[in-house]
Each structure stands twice: as C-alpha cells, then as structure tokens.
Amino acid sequence: MDRYLLIFILIFNLNCKTNQEDASHIPVDTIDKTTFNGTFRDFGQIHITKVSSSIFFPKTRKEVKALIQEAINNNKKIKIKGKSHSMNGSTVPYNYEWWLRTDSLNYYSFDKEGSINVGAGMRIHDILPVLLKYGYNLPVIPGGGTGITVGGFISAGGFDRGLEEWRAPYGGFWENVEKITLVDGNARIHNVTKKDFLFSYLFGSMGQLGVIVDVELKIVKDPNYMTENIYPFNEKGIISDGYFEKTYPNDNDVVYGKLFESMFWYSFFGDIDKKQEILNDLNFLKQYHLQNSESEVQYNFKGFNIPIINFQPPLVYPKDEAFFGCALQVFHKKRANSENGVIQDMYEIAKKIGLEKGYSRYIQAEYFPKSPLEYEMYFGKEIYSTFFQLKKKYDNNNVLNPNVVFPNYND
C-alpha cells in the first residue's frame, strides 16, 4: 500500500477525545469586540498590511467555538493572534478577515499536583510569579523576551535557547505539556494528549489546526526555592497582562520590539555532530550581512542542544533524535522595506546553504516569502502531506489562518 495512503488512513482513524459543549446559545454579538482600520506589522516589522478587520476577544472555549461556527456559517476567515511575536507573517490579517485575539484567555487553576492549567492567551512569563510564590517553575520557557503567550509558544514550536542550565534536561516545551484543549476549524472541541497523533503536530503548526484555548503544563520545583513546596489545590484566578514586569520590575529580560525598526532571523538546526559546521555557516551569513547592509547583527547565539525525551515535533525537527540549533538575529536601523533587496539576497543565500547541508530551519520564527511551495520545501513532502491532511480534517472549511501554509481549498 502507498505510504501516503497509510498516513491518510492513520490520520482519519486516530481521533483525540472530543468534548462537544453546546455553544449554540452564545450570540456572537455578546463576545467582546472592536474594529481595526489601519496598518498592521508583525513582530519583525517586515510583513506589513493595511487592514480593516473586526477583532474578537473570546473569554472561554464556548465563545471560541461559537465564533468559529459563525465564521463557517457566514463564509468568513479567521486569523488567530496572541501577542504577535511571530515574524513570518502567519498572524498578519487580510481585509475583512476576522481577527481572534487570545488576550482574554488569561485564567489559571491548580487542579492536579505537578501541573497548572492556564488559558492559552496568558504570557508565559506572567505565569512565573504565580508559581514561584509556591516554589514551582516551568521547566521550559522562551528566551526571546517576555511577550510570548502559551498558545503562541506551542504554535511556534516551543523551545528554550539554554540561558539557564538547569532547564536543559527537560527538552522542548512539548515534553512538558500534558494536555491541550483545542477548538478546531470545524467548531469542535478536542482534549489532546500525548497519546494522540495530533499532539505532536500542534507544536509549530502556526494556528493551522485550531485555536488553542487551554493548556495543562507540567511544573517542577524551582532550584532556588529552599523550603518545602506546598501545592495550592483548587486555587484559581485571572492574571493581567504585564504581571511579570510588575512583580519583577528590575528583570533585565529584553522586549526586543522597543529596540529596533525591523528584525528577522536566520537559523539552522542539524545533528549534534554538525555543531561547528552550523556555527561556521551562520558566521558566514553574519559577515556577508555586515558588508552589505546598514543593519546591526545584534547577536549570534552560541547555540543550544535540544535533547529528546519522548519525541521531537515533526514541524520543528524531522527526526526523533537530539539536535543542535543556532540562530543569527538581525536588527535593522531602518524599516525593512528600505533594504528589501538585502533581505531577499540573504534569504536566498541562507536557503541555499540549508538545502545543500540538509539543515532544518526554524521557519515559524524566520522571515521568508509566504508560499505553500516554500513550506513544502522546508518541511519535506512527507511531513507537509501529513500536515495538509490534518489541516483538511480539522479545518475542513479552511477557516483558520488561510493563505499562509497551504493552497486555498473549499473557497
């Protein structure tokens, strides 16, 4: 039997647990809403669009379900947005697409010892003060500023770049997520766990398969906490945006969006034994950029190892083994459109190196032309085909984040 047919059969016969709460009684006009008319830029300030859009702020999974059902009924499309920390254009809306913002999914509860349940719109750093007062911490957190949400970190892949050594053995964020509650593009609610085929494809999926609403996260004892931990059973609450900065006003973590006109990355992932080769190739890109642009190369990571504990998400790294990753981050002094030629040249050079050397790329965070052909090239035909079959299963009407990763269908 053909390999792709086997994958197709597997996808359509492995179903995660569904929880079909009735949302038919929730009128969409009762969901918090505003409108936006103007210019939108994503975090890198490169992908830019003028847009007129309705923006919705659902507070519960039922409201998310009702909104998606309304979009299906009215042939509308939805772009999902957390804190717009992505740089590949996947959250940039088109005219008259609805915009679903996750800001109001900012609740938490302590229900089971060893974990915390959180709304997907919460910034990961805002969870930390809640945990630290009881001596707990998250095993893996993002290292690129304090603005990344739980849902956004999952959608972008989710790994730490090794700023704190004690976190290194815990692997990627995916190894430390127990359950994801998802409302798919067919307005169905799923409770997805590690035993489900869908689980591994949510990491790095860029909102293609559904709206992440709730997440159960593993927690561990903080290594700096000296007294006995007491788990606060049944505590629950809502955390306002910016709680981390209010709690730790002198923390030196950088919110990069305040320091540059535009920004983008080049990254290479590869086998552990390719570390020096990857570093050399990124240094070549760095020197080329310094010679041909007015931009600043802010830093070149020494790189990080991502161990494997149970699995690596296919959309992050295609092999179930440990890998080495490194990235070059470039800050532009001018708006990116003033140096588009240099950006495009660098993109083509990085693409050529990556393909020749067999590197994977962190395309969820990098700038590159938004094209299904580009995604298929980077993911590889087998992984891309599986991803596309999942997309058509869980978003049969092509409602969520269209015109990015896949060609249009059912329009």
Side-chain angles (χ1 to χ4, degrees):
M1 185 178 291
D2 183 82
R3 186 177 190 179
Y4 293 114
L5 180 59
L6 282 171
I7 293 172
F8 181 86
I9 292 171
L10 178 64
I11 288 170
F12 281 84
N13 285 278
L14 285 178
N15 291 298
C16 47
K17 184 178 179 181
T18 59
N19 178 15
Q20 301 318 314
E21 302 171 5
D22 181 26
S24 60
H25 65 287
I26 301 177
V28 170
D29 59 10
T30 64
I31 300 174
D32 288 350
K33 173 186 173 183
T34 187
T35 57
F36 179 85
N37 292 284
T39 300
F40 174 77
R41 297 177 173 88
D42 66 2
F43 188 69
Q45 309 286 306
I46 293 176
H47 294 283
I48 303 170
T49 185
K50 290 185 178 180
V51 64
S52 175
S53 179
S54 297
I55 307 176
F56 295 88
F57 299 84
K59 296 185 179 71
T60 66
R61 64 181 71 176
K62 287 185 179 181
E63 289 191 349
V64 172
K65 176 182 171 71
L67 183 61
I68 294 175
Q69 187 61 62
E70 186 75 5
I72 294 170
N73 295 343
N74 291 278
N75 197 29
K76 288 287 188 180
K77 305 298 182 184
I78 294 176
K79 276 287 168 64
I80 307 162
K81 178 181 178 297
K83 297 300 182 186
S84 290
H85 227 269
S86 61
M87 288 175 279
N88 65 0
S90 60
T91 62
V92 175
Y94 294 88
N95 260 343
Y96 307 112
E97 288 182 335
W98 287 352
W99 217 348
L100 189 159
R101 292 195 51 162
T102 61
D103 304 57
S104 297
L105 300 171
N106 61 342
Y107 42 82
Y108 75 93
S109 61
F110 288 96
D111 303 319
K112 185 174 70 176
E113 190 164 4
S115 69
I116 182 172
N117 290 300
V118 297
M122 285 183 60
R123 300 190 318 164
I124 290 176
H125 276 72
D126 285 340
I127 302 169
L128 300 183
V130 176
L131 294 174
L132 288 169
K133 69 181 179 181
Y134 298 112
Y136 292 102
N137 209 321
L138 296 176
V140 177
I141 63 173
T146 62
I148 301 172
T149 64
V150 174
F153 201 37
I154 292 171
S155 298
F159 50 84
D160 174 39
R161 54 186 172 89
L163 297 184
E164 297 176 279
E165 290 186 6
W166 72 267
R167 300 184 189 276
Y170 290 100
F173 196 56
W174 50 88
E175 303 279 15
N176 302 282
V177 173
E178 301 296 336
K179 182 177 71 174
I180 298 171
T181 301
L182 180 86
V183 184
D184 71 15
N186 304 320
R188 293 175 62 85
I189 299 171
H190 304 271
N191 296 315
V192 190
T193 65
K194 292 177 180 178
K195 68 181 181 180
D196 298 310
F197 183 83
L198 177 62
F199 188 85
S200 66
Y201 270 85
L202 291 178
F203 294 87
S205 61
M206 297 168 283
Q208 292 296 310
L209 304 177
V211 180
I212 298 170
V213 289
D214 310 317
V215 181
E216 181 184 345
L217 299 174
K218 175 183 177 180
I219 61 176
V220 296
K221 181 173 180 178
D222 183 82
N224 299 311
Y225 193 75
M226 296 295 105
T227 58
E228 183 180 357
N229 301 72
I230 300 176
Y231 186 82
F233 276 110
N234 300 321
E235 178 179 308
K236 60 181 62 178
I238 292 175
I239 300 179
S240 60
D241 192 41
Y243 184 49
F244 176 81
E245 285 83 2
K246 294 173 186 175
T247 310
Y248 305 106
N250 297 318
D251 190 274
N252 61 4
D253 201 351
V254 178
V255 180
Y256 296 113
K258 298 177 182 179
L259 304 179
F260 59 88
E261 289 295 324
S262 60
M263 179 188 73
F264 58 96
W265 297 78
Y266 308 111
S267 60
F268 295 136
F269 297 166
D271 297 343
I272 297 292
D273 61 7
K274 289 188 176 181
K275 174 179 178 178
Q276 193 56 53
E277 188 176 355
I278 289 173
L279 292 173
N280 292 342
D281 287 331
L282 282 173
N283 189 57
F284 168 79
L285 289 172
K286 175 180 178 179
Q287 297 308 317
Y288 181 94
H289 215 293
L290 290 173
Q291 294 169 13
N292 292 277
S293 172
E294 294 183 30
S295 59
E296 295 179 358
V297 180
Q298 183 70 12
Y299 52 76
N300 188 352
F301 293 150
K302 295 180 180 178
F304 48 86
N305 293 333
I306 300 295
I308 181 168
I309 300 172
N310 294 299
F311 71 98
Q312 307 289 28
L315 301 177
V316 176
Y317 195 67
K319 295 182 284 188
D320 267 338
E321 57 187 50
F323 66 91
F324 173 78
C326 193
L328 177 72
Q329 187 174 34
V330 178
F331 289 103
H332 277 265
K333 295 178 180 178
K334 300 178 181 179
R335 285 285 181 203
N337 55 11
S338 67
E339 292 194 347
N340 274 345
V342 174
I343 293 174
Q344 188 61 34
D345 286 347
M346 289 297 295
Y347 168 74
E348 293 297 334
I349 293 170
K351 179 169 74 172
K352 184 174 184 292
I353 293 172
L355 291 174
E356 287 179 352
K357 300 291 185 70
Y359 299 148
S360 295
R361 303 282 297 278
Y362 189 26
I363 58 177
Q364 291 86 354
E366 293 188 29
Y367 158 80
F368 68 98
K370 294 182 292 182
S371 163
L373 292 176
E374 297 284 309
Y375 280 101
E376 183 177 10
M377 176 183 66
Y378 284 122
F379 287 136
K381 287 187 177 181
E382 184 174 336
I383 289 173
Y384 183 81
S385 176
T386 302
F387 192 16
F388 197 13
Q389 295 302 327
L390 287 168
K391 171 70 170 175
K392 288 188 285 189
K393 176 181 180 181
Y394 291 103
D395 186 13
N396 186 54
N397 297 283
N398 195 26
V399 171
L400 302 176
N401 286 8
N403 307 309
V404 178
V405 180
F406 303 107
N408 287 329
Y409 60 94
N410 289 1
D411 281 357

